[in-house]
Amino acid sequence: MTNDVKTDSSVADMMDAIGRSARLAAVSNARSTTADRNRALGLMAAAIRGDADNILAANTIDVDDGKRRELSAPMLDRLMLDTGRIEAMAAGIEAIANLPEPVGRVMAEWERPNGMVIQRVSVPLGVIGIIYESRPNVTADAAALCLKSGNAAILRGGSESFRSSGAIYECIRVGLSAAGMDENAVQMIPTSDRAAVGYMLSSMAEWIDVVVPRGGKGLIKRVQEDARVPVIGHLDGICHVYLHAAADPDMAREIAVNAKMRRTGICGAAETLLVDQAIANTILPDVAQALLAAGCEIRGDEAVQALLAAAQPADDSDWSTEYLDAIISVRIVADIDAAIRHIGDYGSGHTECIVTGDDAAAAQFLGDVDSAIVLHNVSTQFADGGEFGMGAEIGIATGRVHARGPVGAEQLTSYKYVVRGSGQVRD
Amino acid sequence: MTNDVKTDSSVADMMDAIGRSARLAAVSNARSTTADRNRALGLMAAAIRGDADNILAANTIDVDDGKRRELSAPMLDRLMLDTGRIEAMAAGIEAIANLPEPVGRVMAEWERPNGMVIQRVSVPLGVIGIIYESRPNVTADAAALCLKSGNAAILRGGSESFRSSGAIYECIRVGLSAAGMDENAVQMIPTSDRAAVGYMLSSMAEWIDVVVPRGGKGLIKRVQEDARVPVIGHLDGICHVYLHAAADPDMAREIAVNAKMRRTGICGAAETLLVDQAIANTILPDVAQALLAAGCEIRGDEAVQALLAAAQPADDSDWSTEYLDAIISVRIVADIDAAIRHIGDYGSGHTECIVTGDDAAAAQFLGDVDSAIVLHNVSTQFADGGEFGMGAEIGIATGRVHARGPVGAEQLTSYKYVVRGSGQVRD
């Protein structure tokens, strides 16, 4: 059995204790007040700011270790913290505190002919397991989003960022404790033993309501194979920018360069540029020049190679590759239908952009491209819960069940039906 | 491996062909118009009415077989069709056609400070696998709900209802075809080979977006163990009626009898009656008398046995048992807190009712009981998508992810984010 992980009983005991206390904390958090939870979030942000030096020191050790272990440049970029990123983390928690209360919202209300009044009311999901890799700020974002939405969180960070995440986690517990909340509302698995992840996925359905994995293909594949609890799925971000025949040349260049090069290590970075053949001669050379000037490698199909001396050859695997690096694959397509077909065949359902001045073409693209986020004249780098105004995100879901796109506090809720009557019985 | 089903290659080939054509039909259904889908639904309902004699004849064979195989009375009740149930099936499809369009709804819209306008828009889930047991009307309800919400459906009915479901399925294909829709939008697996279910759960993640199981514990357990695709979970309906100290005596009696006895074989039937000790002497004898008169067996704790000569003894397992039969377990509880605790300890998170004239007690119960449906002064037998005004339901979800409570057309959608800008790039 894939899930028959050899787990020594001490790991099982430890994980069961974490699960049991998380369940109790979830019940108590679900009954806490908005004011309590927001005060805890404010105190967490303050603790992170106050403890920035410790967090940076821990991060330096992680980064040095990562360099010794020859982590890739994008991975080191995700791992690395500086004062700006720490301030962003604290500000993100405060932004989450300032979001509307996600729990107890009356999402719908109607009355039946027999006089029953039915409400659909948002409630917390319960206990959320988050399994992530190198990005230490996930520790803060995930904890804050889970707390805001009345849930308990069990965090399992990657070994690469173990010390950084641990330092951030200490600040979270300080905030919970100072606010008088149950500290077990956020717990971090205190070992990098892989058996703990196996046990979490296969044997904790009683304690964990949903697992959110954040990381590379290996992690996602393992979670999908082993999980006996619901998963909010995150796959690759093979994001496309399509320059339509009616694209404005300057906008095309600026969006293409920003979507690819602003930050290459994030899942919303563009990986493939599709160029309508009607504008390949006029617009592509300028766009390519700007990409090259920004330090980007171009891999093109034969038509692209014929136009651009600097283009390396792309083979079929390039269309399915998430480089997460300063590389872009470029393909010339016959028309918008071919662009939509290419995205359907090779995309990962994450984020795709059309650049065009033609509203009918935009409407077709936005309607027919079946991805979590579809954009018209906007850089794919905006595929982010913070940029969407959600305060922060626990990740971008590419699955279709429960949540799709940025997963923020609102997406970490379930709901129940509340029905009020006056003695109705059914015929 | 639990999912290493021995599948002969002919089953795999057949299932892959079904999956592939379902995916194509889902894309075409997602792009069909509201009018097309509603016309197909109307034609399906007409075909079912026109073909009622055939459906009844097929059902008679299934029921006779079921009697020979000594199916339980509740199972035979679920299997049995009559002209009333066939008319209800056709009317249910028409009610679904008349529901608001679930796809393309703008669920939320906001503008960001940089001018981007973000919409969350509902889209179909994709391909939905429905695995069910004896109830043949699931064939019609599931097909209609999936079609209405722009999805494709792959149906796997139980062997008990194989002929009845097949006859209903023929009417569905007639409707699709007459409306000019892709007939593969609804497919039924044409074999009762169990390997087909194993393959569906373990090896069709490419073709199936979500599986909805409907049936007993054995089926649910198998699906949860083997599924490599997301599951919208349905567990037992261990539903409670709590008669609070401030319950009206007549309402208490009427709701208790209706919740238990109107139809004992449905998941919303009450299984346990909790009686506040403050009214045990005054109200319980009358309620018990009415239950006994309706043919219900009573199993009580010691306090109940002391009050009611007719009560059989209940042991601890009774509190966790879904009888689906004319049996009710009765327990006297100290107060509302004890009632809520009992439901938390033994309930299945389905549907619970409080009978009380005290609004504060009702508010506490509705807030703190963590079930999909919580009711005040309403029979639990209303736990049903049709009774909620959803036209019909594909089942009642007791999981917390994606959908909870009755799963209707709206719950069979996902969403995507549509973002419109004017050249925004990210700093």
Side-chain angles (χ1 to χ4, degrees), chain A residues 217-244:
Chain A
K217 282 190 193 183
L219 171 65
I220 304 291
K221 191 162 179 293
R222 178 173 185 202
V223 169
Q224 286 178 334
E225 278 174 2
D226 292 356
R228 288 295 171 283
V229 289
V231 176
I232 297 183
H234 296 242
L235 283 168
D236 311 351
I238 302 180
C239 303
H240 296 77
V241 173
Y242 167 49
L243 306 179
H244 176 253

Coordinates of all heavy atoms in Angstrom, one line a residue, chain A residues 217-244:
Chain A
K217 N 6.4 19.6 -7.8 CA 5.7 18.4 -8.3 C 5.8 17.2 -7.4 O 4.9 16.4 -7.2 CB 6.2 18.0 -9.7 CG 5.6 18.9 -10.8 CD 6.0 18.3 -12.1 CE 5.7 19.3 -13.2 NZ 6.0 18.8 -14.6
G218 N 7.0 17.0 -6.9 CA 7.2 15.8 -6.0 C 6.3 15.8 -4.8 O 5.7 14.8 -4.5
L219 N 6.2 16.9 -4.2 CA 5.4 17.0 -3.0 C 3.9 16.8 -3.4 O 3.2 16.0 -2.7 CB 5.5 18.4 -2.3 CG 4.5 18.7 -1.2 CD1 4.7 17.8 0.0 CD2 4.7 20.2 -0.8
I220 N 3.5 17.5 -4.4 CA 2.1 17.4 -4.8 C 1.7 16.0 -5.2 O 0.6 15.4 -4.8 CB 1.8 18.3 -6.0 CG1 2.2 19.7 -5.7 CG2 0.3 18.2 -6.5 CD1 1.4 20.4 -4.7
K221 N 2.6 15.3 -5.9 CA 2.3 13.9 -6.4 C 2.2 13.0 -5.1 O 1.3 12.2 -5.0 CB 3.5 13.4 -7.2 CG 3.3 12.2 -8.0 CD 4.3 12.0 -9.1 CE 4.1 10.7 -9.8 NZ 4.4 9.5 -9.0
R222 N 3.1 13.2 -4.2 CA 3.0 12.4 -3.0 C 1.7 12.6 -2.2 O 1.1 11.7 -1.8 CB 4.2 12.7 -2.1 CG 4.1 11.9 -0.8 CD 5.3 12.1 0.1 NE 5.2 11.1 1.2 CZ 5.8 11.3 2.4 NH1 6.6 12.2 2.6 NH2 5.6 10.4 3.3
V223 N 1.3 13.9 -2.1 CA 0.1 14.2 -1.4 C -1.1 13.6 -2.1 O -2.0 12.9 -1.4 CB -0.1 15.7 -1.2 CG1 -1.5 16.0 -0.7 CG2 1.0 16.2 -0.2
Q224 N -1.1 13.7 -3.4 CA -2.3 13.1 -4.1 C -2.4 11.6 -4.0 O -3.4 11.1 -3.9 CB -2.2 13.6 -5.6 CG -2.6 15.0 -5.8 CD -2.5 15.5 -7.2 OE1 -1.7 15.0 -8.0 NE2 -3.2 16.5 -7.5
E225 N -1.2 11.0 -4.0 CA -1.2 9.5 -3.9 C -1.6 9.0 -2.5 O -2.3 8.0 -2.3 CB 0.2 8.9 -4.3 CG 0.3 8.8 -5.8 CD 1.7 8.4 -6.2 OE1 2.6 8.2 -5.3 OE2 2.0 8.4 -7.4
D226 N -1.1 9.7 -1.5 CA -1.2 9.2 -0.1 C -2.3 9.7 0.7 O -2.7 9.1 1.7 CB 0.1 9.5 0.7 CG 1.3 8.7 0.1 OD1 1.1 7.9 -0.8 OD2 2.4 8.9 0.6
A227 N -2.9 10.8 0.3 CA -3.9 11.5 1.2 C -5.2 10.7 1.3 O -5.7 10.2 0.3 CB -4.2 12.9 0.6
R228 N -5.6 10.5 2.5 CA -6.9 10.0 2.9 C -7.8 11.0 3.4 O -8.8 10.8 4.1 CB -6.7 8.8 3.9 CG -6.1 7.6 3.2 CD -7.1 7.0 2.2 NE -6.4 5.9 1.5 CZ -5.5 6.1 0.5 NH1 -5.1 7.3 0.1 NH2 -4.9 5.1 -0.1
V229 N -7.4 12.3 3.3 CA -8.2 13.4 3.7 C -8.3 14.3 2.4 O -7.5 14.2 1.5 CB -7.5 14.2 4.8 CG1 -7.5 13.5 6.1 CG2 -6.1 14.6 4.4
P230 N -9.4 15.2 2.4 CA -9.5 16.0 1.2 C -8.3 16.9 1.0 O -7.7 17.4 2.0 CB -10.8 16.8 1.5 CG -11.5 16.0 2.5 CD -10.5 15.3 3.3
V231 N -8.0 17.2 -0.2 CA -6.9 18.0 -0.6 C -7.4 19.2 -1.4 O -8.2 19.0 -2.3 CB -5.8 17.2 -1.4 CG1 -4.7 18.1 -1.9 CG2 -5.3 16.0 -0.6
I232 N -6.9 20.4 -1.0 CA -7.2 21.6 -1.9 C -5.9 21.6 -2.8 O -4.8 22.0 -2.3 CB -7.4 22.8 -1.2 CG1 -8.7 22.7 -0.3 CG2 -7.5 24.0 -2.1 CD1 -9.1 23.9 0.4
G233 N -6.1 21.3 -4.1 CA -5.0 21.0 -5.0 C -4.3 22.2 -5.6 O -4.9 23.2 -6.0
H234 N -3.0 22.1 -5.6 CA -2.1 23.1 -6.2 C -1.2 22.4 -7.1 O -0.4 21.5 -6.7 CB -1.3 23.8 -5.1 CG -2.1 24.6 -4.2 ND1 -2.0 25.9 -4.0 CD2 -3.1 24.2 -3.3 CE1 -2.9 26.3 -3.1 NE2 -3.5 25.3 -2.6
L235 N -1.2 22.8 -8.4 CA -0.3 22.2 -9.3 C 0.6 23.2 -9.9 O 0.8 24.3 -9.3 CB -1.1 21.5 -10.5 CG -1.7 20.1 -10.0 CD1 -2.7 19.6 -11.1 CD2 -0.6 19.1 -9.9
D236 N 1.2 22.9 -11.0 CA 2.2 23.9 -11.6 C 1.5 25.1 -12.0 O 0.3 25.2 -12.2 CB 2.8 23.3 -12.9 CG 3.3 21.9 -12.8 OD1 3.3 21.4 -11.6 OD2 3.6 21.3 -13.8
G237 N 2.3 26.2 -12.2 CA 1.8 27.4 -12.8 C 2.5 27.5 -14.2 O 3.5 28.2 -14.3
I238 N 2.0 26.8 -15.2 CA 2.4 27.0 -16.5 C 1.6 28.1 -17.1 O 0.5 27.8 -17.7 CB 2.4 25.7 -17.3 CG1 3.3 24.7 -16.6 CG2 2.9 25.9 -18.8 CD1 3.3 23.3 -17.3
C239 N 1.9 29.4 -16.9 CA 1.1 30.5 -17.2 C 1.4 31.0 -18.6 O 2.6 31.0 -19.0 CB 1.2 31.6 -16.2 SG 0.8 31.1 -14.5
H240 N 0.4 31.4 -19.3 CA 0.6 31.9 -20.7 C 0.2 33.4 -20.9 O -0.7 33.9 -20.2 CB -0.3 31.1 -21.7 CG 0.0 29.7 -21.7 ND1 -0.4 28.8 -20.7 CD2 0.7 28.9 -22.7 CE1 0.0 27.6 -21.1 NE2 0.7 27.6 -22.2
V241 N 1.0 34.1 -21.7 CA 0.6 35.4 -22.2 C 0.4 35.2 -23.7 O 1.3 34.8 -24.4 CB 1.7 36.4 -21.9 CG1 1.3 37.8 -22.6 CG2 1.9 36.6 -20.4
Y242 N -0.8 35.6 -24.1 CA -1.1 35.5 -25.6 C -1.2 37.0 -26.1 O -2.1 37.7 -25.7 CB -2.5 34.8 -25.8 CG -3.1 34.9 -27.1 CD1 -2.3 34.7 -28.3 CD2 -4.4 35.3 -27.3 CE1 -2.9 34.8 -29.6 CE2 -5.0 35.4 -28.6 CZ -4.2 35.2 -29.7 OH -4.7 35.3 -31.0
L243 N -0.4 37.3 -27.1 CA -0.4 38.6 -27.7 C -1.3 38.4 -29.0 O -0.9 37.8 -30.0 CB 1.0 39.0 -28.1 CG 2.0 39.0 -27.0 CD1 3.4 39.5 -27.5 CD2 1.6 39.9 -25.8
H244 N -2.5 39.0 -28.9 CA -3.5 38.8 -29.9 C -3.2 39.8 -31.1 O -2.4 40.8 -30.9 CB -4.9 39.1 -29.3 CG -6.0 39.1 -30.3 ND1 -6.6 40.3 -30.7 CD2 -6.6 38.1 -30.9 CE1 -7.6 40.0 -31.5 NE2 -7.6 38.7 -31.7

